[in-house]
């Protein structure tokens, strides 16, 4: 039973398309996140969300939008995909907004390739 | 501006010896530091963390040391085992505000040689 699961694992799409990546966690965590690992291997936070608040990293283009139908899900929608969006996207969750000693639990990643 | 730096892209250690992975940071607002391990095609897995008010935290074969004055931390793995071969990420968490996420270093690829 995967704690944080993302689908799809691989996604190849053309420029200009709109796509979504789904994320679900069964840990009962309060907060979920989206991270992007770019070609230089840096893992950077894009969003954090709990049932009260969405916090957006200011560097994220507004073509990216998280959608949370409930506490266990945080999906990532991307409009008008660009070549530079190609990366691995990781979903994560934590028990408290601050992560703390428990760390953050990550999904296995979605490799997005825009052609 | 890299707030978390892992200056060694890779490190090769013989099985049974000690592995020492280093990490430097610039953000004084970090209140926790975490180490993650990542295998290919998998997400990062939490290993160990340390609060900024401590200088050492130990969990089995893993020990993290924090030197706040030098803004430096290190992860010691002893003894090193073949399954430890992976990419290790150092991360800092800023107290309050922001997206409340982690700021990661670029990672160090640890290779354990038999």
């Amino acid at each position: 039973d995967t704690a944080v699961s993302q689908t799809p694992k691989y996604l190849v799409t053309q420029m200009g398309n709109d796509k979504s990546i789904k994320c679900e966690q069964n840990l009962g965590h309060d907060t979920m996140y989206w991270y992007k690992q770019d070609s230089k291997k840096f893992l950077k936070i894009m969003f954090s969300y709990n049932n009260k608040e969405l916090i957006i990293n200011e560097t994220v283009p507004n073509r990216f939008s998280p959608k949370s139908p409930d506490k266990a899900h945080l999906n990532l929608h991307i409009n008008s995909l660009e070549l530079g969006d190609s990366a691995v996207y990781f979903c994560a969750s934590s028990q408290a907004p601050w992560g703390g000693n428990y760390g953050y639990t990550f999904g296995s990643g979605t490799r997005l390739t825009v052609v | 501006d890299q707030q978390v730096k892992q200056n060694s892209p890779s490190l090769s250690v013989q099985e049974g010896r000690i592995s020492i992975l280093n990490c430097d940071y610039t953000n004084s607002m970090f209140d926790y530091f975490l180490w993650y391990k990542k295998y290919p095609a998998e997400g990062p897995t939490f290993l160990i963390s340390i609060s900024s008010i401590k200088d050492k935290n130990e969990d089995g074969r893993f020990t993290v040391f924090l030197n706040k004055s030098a803004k430096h931390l290190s992860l010691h793995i002893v003894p090193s085992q073949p399954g430890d071969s992976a990419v290790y990420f150092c991360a800092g968490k800023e107290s309050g505000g922001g997206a409340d996420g982690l700021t990661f270093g670029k990672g160090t690829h640890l290779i354990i040689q038999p």
Side-chain angles (χ1 to χ4, degrees):
Chain A
D1 290 341
T2 306
V4 179
S5 60
Q6 302 177 223
T7 54
K9 192 169 179 67
Y10 299 97
L11 180 58
V12 181
T13 187
Q14 289 187 325
M15 282 175 55
N17 283 351
D18 303 338
K19 289 293 179 185
S20 296
I21 306 172
K22 295 185 177 180
C23 179
E24 176 182 4
Q25 55 97 1
N26 61 7
L27 299 166
H29 285 173
D30 295 319
T31 306
M32 296 183 72
Y33 310 82
W34 277 104
Y35 282 80
K36 176 182 179 181
Q37 186 177 32
D38 59 25
S39 58
K40 296 181 180 178
K41 304 301 181 187
F42 278 107
L43 266 165
K44 294 182 181 176
I45 188 162
M46 301 175 70
F47 307 99
S48 71
Y49 184 80
N50 62 25
N51 57 5
K52 298 176 184 176
E53 191 175 16
L54 169 67
I55 303 176
I56 302 171
N57 185 316
E58 60 194 12
T59 66
V60 175
N62 57 15
R63 297 181 295 103
F64 290 79
S65 58
K67 297 280 194 292
S68 181
D70 54 58
K71 189 175 134 177
H73 296 83
L74 184 66
N75 303 324
L76 181 65
H77 296 271
I78 315 170
N79 295 326
S80 302
L81 277 155
E82 300 177 357
L83 292 176
D85 298 332
S86 296
V88 181
Y89 292 84
F90 288 97
C91 178
S93 68
S94 69
Q95 190 168 2
W98 50 85
N101 283 328
Y102 308 106
Y104 296 61
T105 304
F106 282 80
S108 58
T110 296
R111 181 173 291 279
L112 171 66
T113 304
V114 182
V115 298
Chain B
D1 175 32
Q2 293 182 47
Q3 297 184 41
V4 178
K5 297 178 185 179
Q6 294 177 257
N7 292 320
S8 298
S10 66
L11 175 67
S12 185
V13 175
Q14 203 166 13
E15 183 179 356
R17 306 292 283 266
I18 184 170
S19 295
I20 299 176
L21 298 111
N22 293 304
C23 177
D24 298 294
Y25 65 95
T26 59
N27 188 342
S28 300
M29 298 300 290
F30 288 143
D31 61 351
Y32 272 97
F33 300 91
L34 297 84
W35 282 93
Y36 278 81
K37 174 181 178 180
K38 185 181 181 302
Y39 293 118
E42 294 184 12
T45 303
F46 172 69
L47 265 181
I48 191 170
S49 67
I50 187 167
S51 165
S52 60
I53 62 173
K54 295 187 177 180
D55 55 18
K56 178 182 174 181
N57 189 24
E58 189 173 353
D59 184 2
R61 296 186 299 114
F62 302 92
T63 303
V64 57
F65 295 92
L66 174 62
N67 182 333
K68 277 191 75 174
S69 60
K71 291 191 170 66
H72 176 84
L73 62 155
S74 60
L75 174 68
H76 293 215
I77 306 173
V78 55
S80 300
Q81 299 174 354
D84 296 332
S85 294
V87 177
Y88 288 79
F89 290 95
C90 170
K93 190 199 73 63
E94 191 171 326
S95 58
D100 192 42
L102 301 174
T103 302
F104 284 88
K106 209 170 174 180
T108 296
H109 185 193
L110 176 64
I111 302 162
I112 304 302
Q113 295 181 334

